[in-house]
């Protein structure tokens, strides 16, 4: 009489099937994936009905994904995997300074966070003090600061590649009614490493939630909202680029970002300013806001 095949026998057979993978790293990853996936199935005692539902969710994810809608990355974002991969790939040296002046922790390398689906390369080059809003999109905001290397040296010629949403919650790529360059721009730092541009206050907005991710969020009692933020990629010769955000520290959802991308070092204060404030930049009329944010890059080559 032959012995029965156990769940562990099945796991062992699958693990063994990857033993001779010609690509060693792939073999390691597939064995670990098998071990964790099988442990998960056993742990929750996955039923046949649940397995069928999961296949349905994966199928729907494939169907809704297109050139402009990446539901697979949204799964990665909503499950915190994007932030985890980013954290492992982009560890930065710990802070050497004390608390900063509101523009970021003094001396610390700027931490990265998710890029998100709304980045479009090739934003227009704009000059110091110019605006990125090309049509009415909210309350005026002056964003300024300095880009430095880890040793404190100012970095002239660094590039800030900026994009954000407006008060209708949308990015230009999501909104057929606005120019594709609206709320996007590339700025180059001046001799003293400084940059400055005019924009509008970003608002909280929901991640796309009309597909499988939206169903998962609703079914698990989660919400799709992200706190208000401005995206920036900072690049400078001889330094690792950083893809990050600056967050409005007083924004709704700052303690409950749907994609887990808030890091304390990226929180900034938006300061209310009056129309007669002597620091009001040319190009702004009436009441305005300001946001100071320095960026600190780590010397080294761009990741391959
Ligand atoms: C964003 O910040 O643009 C974003 C990030 C992750 C998912 C959706 C949007
Ligand atoms: Fe965003």
């Amino acid at each position: 009489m032959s012995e029965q095949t156990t769940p562990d026998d099945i796991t062992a057979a699958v693990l063994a099937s990857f033993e001779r993978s010609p690509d060693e790293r792939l073999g390691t990853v597939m064995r670990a994936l098998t071990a964790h996936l099988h442990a998960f199935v056993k742990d929750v005692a996955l039923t046949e009905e649940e397995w069928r539902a999961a296949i349905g969710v994966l199928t729907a994810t494939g169907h809704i994904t297109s050139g402009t809608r990446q539901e697979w990355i949204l799964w990665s974002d909503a499950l915190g995997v994007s932030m985890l991969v980013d954290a492992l790939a982009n560890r930065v040296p710990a802070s050497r300074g004390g608390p900063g002046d509101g523009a970021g922790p003094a001396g610390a390398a700027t931490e990265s966070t998710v890029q998100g689906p709304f980045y479009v390369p090739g934003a227009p080059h704009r000059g110091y003090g110019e605006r990125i809003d090309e049509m009415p999109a909210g309350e005026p905001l002056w964003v300024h600061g300095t880009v430095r290397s880890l040793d404190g040296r100012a970095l002239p010629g660094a590039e800030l590649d900026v994009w954000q949403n407006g008060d209708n919650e949308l990015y230009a790529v999501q909104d057929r009614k606005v120019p594709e360059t609206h709320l996007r721009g590339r700025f180059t730092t001046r001799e003293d490493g400084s940059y400055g541009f005019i924009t509008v206050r970003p608002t909280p907005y929901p991640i796309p939630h009309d597909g499988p991710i939206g169903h998962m969020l609703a079914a698990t009692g989660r919400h799709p909202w992200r706190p208000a933020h401005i995206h920036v990629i900072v690049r400078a010769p001889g330094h690792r680029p950083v893809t990050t955000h600056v967050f409005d520290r007083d924004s709704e959802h700052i303690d409950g970002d749907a994609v887990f991308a808030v890091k304390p070092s990226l929180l900034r204060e938006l300061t209310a300013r009056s129309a007669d404030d002597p620091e009001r930049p040319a190009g702004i009329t009436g009441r305005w806001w300001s946001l100071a944010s320095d960026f600190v890059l780590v010397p080294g080559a761009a990741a391959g």
Side-chain angles (χ1 to χ4, degrees), residues 118 163 171 205 226 229 231 245:
F118 305 127
W163 71 105
Y171 286 79
Y205 65 89
R226 298 216 60 210
H229 59 270
H231 293 258
H245 300 4

Side-chain angles (χ1 to χ4, degrees), residues 29 65-66 77 89 96 101 123 128 174 250 274 282:
V29 170
T65 295
S66 69
D77 295 339
R96 292 167 306 151
D101 55 4
Y128 180 87
Q174 298 174 288
D250 297 319
S274 62

Side-chain angles (χ1 to χ4, degrees), residues 112-298:
S112 56
T113 191
V114 285
Q115 177 168 292
F118 305 127
Y119 174 66
V120 180
H125 289 284
R126 304 188 194 266
Y128 180 87
E130 288 185 354
R131 56 193 325 131
I132 63 171
D133 51 321
E134 298 185 353
M135 48 196 299
E139 300 173 62
L141 170 66
W142 168 242
V143 182
H144 65 103
T146 300
V147 179
R148 299 185 181 283
S149 187
L150 199 54
D151 63 4
R153 178 171 51 99
L155 292 175
E159 181 178 85
L160 285 90
D161 194 343
V162 177
W163 71 105
Q164 69 164 84
N165 66 328
D167 59 1
N168 65 355
E169 300 176 354
L170 300 176
Y171 286 79
V173 277
Q174 298 174 288
D175 188 355
R176 292 219 183 100
K177 295 195 218 65
V178 302
E180 60 185 26
T181 48
H182 179 53
L183 294 175
R184 298 169 56 211
R186 277 184 287 171
F187 296 88
T188 304
T189 55
R190 302 190 294 184
E191 272 313 300
D192 60 355
S194 64
Y195 74 90
F197 61 90
I198 298 170
T199 181
V200 293
R201 285 196 75 165
T203 68
Y205 65 89
I207 64 171
H209 58 110
D210 56 346
I213 288 296
H215 290 139
M216 180 278 286
L217 294 174
T220 56
R222 286 177 54 181
H223 68 76
W225 289 89
R226 298 216 60 210
H229 59 270
I230 300 173
H231 293 258
V232 57
I233 302 174
V234 188
R235 310 177 177 98
H239 291 76
R240 278 160 46 186
V242 64
T243 299
T244 191
H245 300 4
V246 288
F247 289 93
D248 173 355
R249 71 173 197 191
D250 297 319
S251 173
E252 217 181 324
H253 306 297
I254 200 73
D255 294 321
D257 186 358
V259 301
F260 309 98
V262 176
K263 292 178 173 179
S265 71
L266 304 178
L267 303 183
R268 298 289 180 273
E269 181 178 2
L270 272 68
T271 308
R273 307 277 203 138
S274 62
D276 57 6
D277 188 307
E279 291 179 0
R280 180 167 55 83
I284 291 183
T285 51
R287 294 182 56 222
W288 54 292
W289 297 84
S290 67
L291 182 167
S293 188
D294 292 343
F295 296 96
V296 177
L297 300 188
V298 179

